[in-house]
Amino acid sequence: ESEKEINAPIEKVFERVSDFASFENGLKARGAEVKRQDSLAEPGVGLAWDIKYSFRGSRRQANVVIDEMRSPNKLKSSAVSSGINATVNVRLESLGLNKTKMKIDVNMKSTNLTAKVLLKSLTLAKSGLSSRFDKRVSQFGKRIEASV
């Protein structure tokens, strides 16, 4: 779990957290292939993507779905990729007119032996991964602040 206080109103933070086009573009810029798998006109529950990407030298594929979207407080997504089921929860809490606390947690479970070994290796590297995750969340918060 990572937590960041952002100097921006909760509505603006939620707007950025749910800016899926921006996330799609970011993935594409890092070499991923991203295809929408739904026919929704507006962002909401049921938005889905098929994502092909490289990880640790192997080409992988993930299906990502928005499971819950409650503006301006919560966004939950799930992903299935190579024997790993993951959920990402984003919770926002207003701390005043121009301050928002953002909490993000990621939970992963393996569905096969290969994925179990991969998750075990990630567990062993947890402190470094947690530090990098916290840094990315902090950078995201700073970009939100800069855009308000």
Side-chain angles (χ1 to χ4, degrees), residues 94-110:
S94 179
L95 301 176
L97 288 175
N98 290 311
K99 193 166 207 117
T100 304
K101 182 186 290 187
M102 177 175 65
K103 292 182 183 180
I104 302 176
D105 65 79
V106 179
N107 295 300
M108 293 187 269
K109 295 188 183 201
S110 60

Side-chain angles (χ1 to χ4, degrees), residues 30-33 52-61 82:
R30 290 192 297 277
E33 294 174 40
K52 294 182 176 137
Y53 60 99
S54 294
F55 180 72
R56 292 190 173 185
S58 296
R59 199 73 179 146
R60 302 189 189 268
Q61 183 265 336
S82 304

Side-chain angles (χ1 to χ4, degrees), residues 1-72:
E1 181 174 290
S2 187
E3 189 174 300
K4 169 81 175 147
E5 287 187 8
I6 301 169
N7 293 315
I10 192 169
E11 293 82 8
K12 291 292 183 188
V13 176
F14 189 83
E15 187 178 292
R16 289 296 307 274
V17 166
S18 59
D19 182 0
F20 303 114
S22 177
F23 291 120
E24 286 179 27
N25 291 335
L27 288 168
K28 289 176 183 176
R30 290 192 297 277
E33 294 174 40
V34 181
K35 291 183 186 173
R36 283 276 299 271
Q37 297 296 311
D38 62 85
S39 57
L40 298 175
E42 296 290 322
V45 172
L47 242 70
W49 298 265
D50 180 52
I51 304 169
K52 294 182 176 137
Y53 60 99
S54 294
F55 180 72
R56 292 190 173 185
S58 296
R59 199 73 179 146
R60 302 189 189 268
Q61 183 265 336
N63 293 319
V64 179
V65 177
I66 300 300
D67 298 315
E68 187 175 351
M69 191 168 163
R70 284 189 286 141
S71 178

